[in-house]
Amino acid sequence: MNFPSNRIGQIPPYLFAEINKKKAEMIKAGVDIIDLGIGDPDLPTPKHIIDKLTEEAQDPKNLKYPSFVGCPEFKQAVADFYFREYGVILDPETEVLALIGSKEGIAHIVPTLIDPGDYVLIPDPSYPVYRMATLLANGQCHHMPLTKENNFVPDFEAIPKAIVERSKLMFLNYPGNPTSATVELPFFKRAIAFAEKHKIPIAHDSAYNMVTFDSYKAPSILQVEGAKEIAVEFGSLSKTYSMTGFRIGYVVGNREIIKALSVLKSNTDTGQFTPIQKAAAYALNGDQSCVTQYNQIYKDRMTAMLDGLKSIGVEVEPPKGSFFIWAPVPSGYTSAEFVTNVLEQTGVIITPGNAFGPSGEGYFRVSLSVPNERLYEAVNRIKQNLKIVIG
Ligand SMILES: *Cc1c(COP(=O)(O)O)cnc(C)c1O
């Protein structure tokens, strides 16, 4: 067969395939499955945002081809958001670009910045799109291990010199998926210093920038002086406002990178539906009480689940952001074995850590994205039914 291309052929099989098969079998056998594997929040999109979407959809001029670079209201709203949240001034014309979800921009930034054979520095474990986009661009992945010992941040000095020299892009992601790790501004200062020294652009994925708890405030990498010279930051409405299905995100920062990405995009897509962009602008500018309310719900779920895990001997520091718990598997188990045990004994699906990269082995991820009563039911089943045999 002379299809598909080698580029597609090299993409590894979907890591959730095995667990999805088991899930289907168990549902068929009548088991009540609770899926804590998915990263799609159950909380509804706030009504004022949906109302704005339907209102804008009535205007015939919003139904034409959108502008390639994003509608002015959306880009201005992103710039206003950056000034309000971080004190960062952005030119909406040149330093903000609308995306069809941040995933789209993350995938397209790779061929925008690398040529075949170039290296991309990728946190391990991390969001799989960084790795897959690199493979699709015929680039090479260099994994930067994130471990508990290094607080789940990369050790830049540990990257071999020969690889640093051939690297054209570095991804970072805080608050992190799957690790739920958070950082403070000094970490971003070190990252920018490394990037400047070696002329390696940084793409910081801030999908969970506003999903934070208590007094913790996640910094923006653009708060570092000079960051705009070498970095871009991806953001998304998906998690903050439960708008995953809208497909709206943005990239901000270095204008040359943004210009290059918009060249690729203007030859690939034609932007997001204008009513969606206008509803997203309204979300960013409007009443933010939904964000506070949703974060409190995630925080309460997290507290309950941490308590459930503690009862089986798994202890984790309470995360300051994201809606994930990243926990070590009890000793004597691989990630896959533990996840299978949990599924068979409790009907609860969690994700094996190695689905996010080799350094994720020995961990599992719990996503807190099911309604409260299901989440508390899962906690009870883990507490009461899970028999972990050490050894
Ligand atoms: C969900 C997620 C995204 C993608 O968000 P969209 O804007 O919906 O495409 C990007 N990065 C991480 C780490 C995510 O978890």
Side-chain angles (χ1 to χ4, degrees), residues 46-73:
K47 185 172 180 300
H48 67 280
I49 302 172
I50 302 171
D51 288 346
K52 182 69 174 168
L53 171 70
T54 50
E55 178 198 321
E56 294 292 344
Q58 307 305 314
D59 184 345
K61 63 177 187 307
N62 285 344
L63 310 184
K64 301 288 186 191
Y65 278 128
S67 136
F68 288 122
V69 289
C71 83
E73 290 88 339

Side-chain angles (χ1 to χ4, degrees), residues 6 17 25 30 67 91 93 114 117 132 173 182 195 251 270 289 379 386:
N6 294 333
E25 283 167 16
S67 136
D91 172 14
E93 284 284 318
I114 78 159
M132 299 311 151
N173 167 223
T182 50
V251 58
T270 310
S289 59
V379 171
L386 188 61

Side-chain angles (χ1 to χ4, degrees), residues 18 36 45 49 88 107-108 124 128 140 145 176 180 195 211 221 243 273 287 301 353 374:
E18 197 55 35
L36 305 182
T45 308
I49 302 172
V88 169
H108 282 144
D124 168 28
Q140 310 208 56
S180 75
V211 186
I221 199 166
M243 287 171 65
F273 188 45
D287 182 5
R301 290 178 182 177
R374 300 296 282 161

Side-chain angles (χ1 to χ4, degrees), residues 183-191 219-225:
V183 295
E184 301 293 345
L185 201 55
F187 167 73
F188 284 145
K189 285 193 179 142
R190 284 199 287 124
S220 160
I221 199 166
L222 298 183
Q223 287 173 300
V224 178
E225 214 185 305

Side-chain angles (χ1 to χ4, degrees), residues 200-364:
I200 301 171
I202 294 181
H204 178 239
D205 177 355
S206 73
Y208 298 90
N209 56 358
M210 301 306 284
V211 186
T212 57
F213 311 129
D214 304 323
S215 58
Y216 177 71
K217 168 102 187 115
S220 160
I221 199 166
L222 298 183
Q223 287 173 300
V224 178
E225 214 185 305
K228 268 194 214 171
E229 300 301 314
I230 195 91
V232 290
E233 190 158 70
F234 288 92
S236 174
L237 286 274
S238 289
K239 314 297 164 50
T240 311
Y241 303 100
S242 271
M243 287 171 65
T244 49
F246 281 63
R247 312 312 303 131
I248 183 74
Y250 54 82
V251 58
V252 295
N254 184 274
R255 64 182 70 198
E256 284 80 28
I257 296 176
I258 285 178
K259 193 169 170 204
L261 177 58
S262 68
V263 169
L264 188 152
K265 273 177 60 61
S266 64
N267 288 289
T268 309
D269 64 66
T270 310
Q272 184 50 284
F273 188 45
T274 303
I276 290 178
Q277 294 191 51
K278 291 195 172 170
Y282 192 62
L284 288 170
N285 281 335
D287 182 5
Q288 302 298 307
S289 59
C290 55
V291 179
T292 317
Q293 188 197 338
Y294 285 6
N295 287 347
Q296 188 60 49
I297 294 171
Y298 292 131
K299 166 85 196 201
D300 291 345
R301 290 178 182 177
M302 201 160 259
T303 306
M305 183 53 77
L306 289 173
D307 182 51
L309 293 176
K310 200 170 165 187
S311 76
I312 58 160
V314 173
E315 294 227 36
V316 188
E317 280 283 305
K320 292 184 199 150
S322 85
F323 44 65
F324 302 114
I325 293 173
W326 182 245
V329 298
S331 65
Y333 291 84
T334 64
S335 293
E337 286 164 354
F338 180 69
V339 162
T340 305
N341 267 276
V342 172
L343 178 57
E344 286 172 349
Q345 295 177 25
T346 68
V348 174
I349 295 181
I350 54 179
T351 312
N354 54 320
F356 304 99
S359 297
E361 179 51 51
Y363 280 81
F364 62 95

Side-chain angles (χ1 to χ4, degrees), residues 30-255:
V31 180
D32 175 27
I33 297 282
I34 303 177
D35 194 342
L36 305 182
I38 39 178
D40 191 348
D42 62 297
L43 301 174
T45 308
K47 185 172 180 300
H48 67 280
I49 302 172
I50 302 171
D51 288 346
K52 182 69 174 168
L53 171 70
T54 50
E55 178 198 321
E56 294 292 344
Q58 307 305 314
D59 184 345
K61 63 177 187 307
N62 285 344
L63 310 184
K64 301 288 186 191
Y65 278 128
S67 136
F68 288 122
V69 289
C71 83
E73 290 88 339
F74 178 67
K75 296 201 296 174
Q76 185 64 52
V78 172
D80 292 346
F81 168 83
Y82 263 77
F83 187 69
R84 183 178 84 222
E85 294 296 334
Y86 309 115
V88 169
I89 296 173
L90 294 172
D91 172 14
E93 284 284 318
T94 58
E95 295 176 332
V96 180
L97 180 66
L99 300 171
I100 307 172
S102 60
K103 179 181 184 179
E104 177 264 302
I106 289 166
H108 282 144
I109 192 95
V110 178
T112 299
L113 295 177
I114 78 159
D115 288 304
D118 289 339
Y119 273 91
V120 179
L121 304 174
I122 296 171
D124 168 28
S126 63
Y127 185 55
V129 179
Y130 312 146
R131 218 165 303 123
M132 299 311 151
T134 302
L135 296 178
L136 288 172
N138 294 327
Q140 310 208 56
C141 302
H142 177 76
H143 286 149
M144 303 184 290
L146 307 182
T147 63
K148 190 173 187 318
E149 292 67 46
N150 60 27
N151 296 315
F152 301 106
V153 301
D155 177 359
F156 302 127
E157 301 313 315
I159 306 166
K161 200 164 172 287
I163 287 176
V164 170
E165 282 167 4
R166 295 173 59 194
S167 296
K168 293 282 176 62
L169 173 62
M170 178 197 286
F171 280 107
L172 294 173
N173 167 223
Y174 296 97
N177 175 10
T179 65
S180 75
T182 50
V183 295
E184 301 293 345
L185 201 55
F187 167 73
F188 284 145
K189 285 193 179 142
R190 284 199 287 124
I192 292 292
F194 176 83
E196 280 170 345
K197 181 170 171 204
H198 300 288
K199 303 192 168 45
I200 301 171
I202 294 181
H204 178 239
D205 177 355
S206 73
Y208 298 90
N209 56 358
M210 301 306 284
V211 186
T212 57
F213 311 129
D214 304 323
S215 58
Y216 177 71
K217 168 102 187 115
S220 160
I221 199 166
L222 298 183
Q223 287 173 300
V224 178
E225 214 185 305
K228 268 194 214 171
E229 300 301 314
I230 195 91
V232 290
E233 190 158 70
F234 288 92
S236 174
L237 286 274
S238 289
K239 314 297 164 50
T240 311
Y241 303 100
S242 271
M243 287 171 65
T244 49
F246 281 63
R247 312 312 303 131
I248 183 74
Y250 54 82
V251 58
V252 295
N254 184 274
R255 64 182 70 198

